[in-house]
């Protein structure tokens, strides 16, 4: 026995309604975290700071006003991390309630950046201190003066 077209339409509509209702329920059980990032010395907003909920893929970059809102954050205790080139990393704990917004303020401090010397070898890039072999220079003029060239 084949179902009638009207029964198939009702069945498909029922499935669609159930999926939408489940989606709204899941979204209603999640919260939001608004992050504000400022420079600790000048109190000015820090734009392009990377904001992330640790252990998830939730996050993004702050705007010119130093703010970013993360949506879809699971309720409970969460750790928020802020990174920005030229500034020290900071982490803070925040408690997120279902369908609520939590606010976290960060005042990050500038740090000096130092680059580590890198030596490129046939086996790939390595820092000079990681090399297991000796690095030396050969003065061709001195070698030619001491021994005849054949």
């Amino acid at each position: 026995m084949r179902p009638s077209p009207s029964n198939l339409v009702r069945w498909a509509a029922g499935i669609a309604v159930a999926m939408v209702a489940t989606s709204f329920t899941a979204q209603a059980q999640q919260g939001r975290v608004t992050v504000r990032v400022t420079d600790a010395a000048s109190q000015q907003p820090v734009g392009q700071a990377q904001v992330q909920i640790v252990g998830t893929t939730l996050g993004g970059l702050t705007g010119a006003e130093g703010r970013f809102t993360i949506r879809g954050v699971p309720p409970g205790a969460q750790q928020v991390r802020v990174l920005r080139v030229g500034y020290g990393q900071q982490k803070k704990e925040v408690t997120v309630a279902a369908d609520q917004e939590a606010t976290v303020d960060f005042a990050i401090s500038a740090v000096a950046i130092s680059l580590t010397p890198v030596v490129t070898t046939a086996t790939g890039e390595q820092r000079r201190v990681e090399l297991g072999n000796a690095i030396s220079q050969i003065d061709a003029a001195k070698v030619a003066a001491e021994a005849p060239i054949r």
Side-chain angles (χ1 to χ4, degrees):
M1 176 188 222
R2 280 185 98 175
S4 68
S6 63
N7 285 341
L8 284 176
V9 169
R10 285 187 202 127
W11 178 77
I15 294 294
V17 168
M19 290 174 62
V20 169
T22 302
S23 174
F24 282 132
T25 302
Q27 287 179 356
Q29 294 175 355
Q30 296 174 338
R32 296 175 307 281
V33 175
T34 297
V35 178
R36 180 172 169 253
V37 182
T38 57
D39 183 291
S42 68
Q43 304 302 314
Q44 295 297 313
V46 177
Q48 299 300 306
Q50 182 181 2
V51 178
Q52 181 183 20
I53 302 294
V54 176
T56 72
T57 58
L58 301 173
L61 298 175
T62 59
E65 69 285 347
R67 293 184 182 273
F68 184 76
T69 299
I70 305 170
R71 290 172 171 64
V73 180
Q78 301 292 340
Q79 191 173 47
V80 181
R81 177 176 58 195
V82 172
L83 301 167
R84 174 73 162 93
V85 173
Y87 290 89
Q89 169 185 284
Q90 276 193 16
K91 293 180 185 177
K92 288 189 178 181
E93 294 285 331
V94 63
T95 301
V96 179
D99 204 29
Q100 298 292 318
E101 182 172 319
T103 303
V104 184
D105 291 328
F106 287 90
I108 57 178
S109 300
V111 294
I113 299 174
S114 63
L115 300 176
T116 307
V118 175
V119 177
T120 302
T121 65
T123 59
E125 286 188 3
Q126 294 178 330
R127 293 184 304 161
R128 185 178 205 127
V129 296
E130 293 174 342
L131 291 176
N133 54 348
I135 299 174
S136 61
Q137 293 180 317
I138 298 174
D139 185 2
K142 185 177 178 185
V143 172
E146 292 177 1
I149 299 176
R150 296 183 189 175

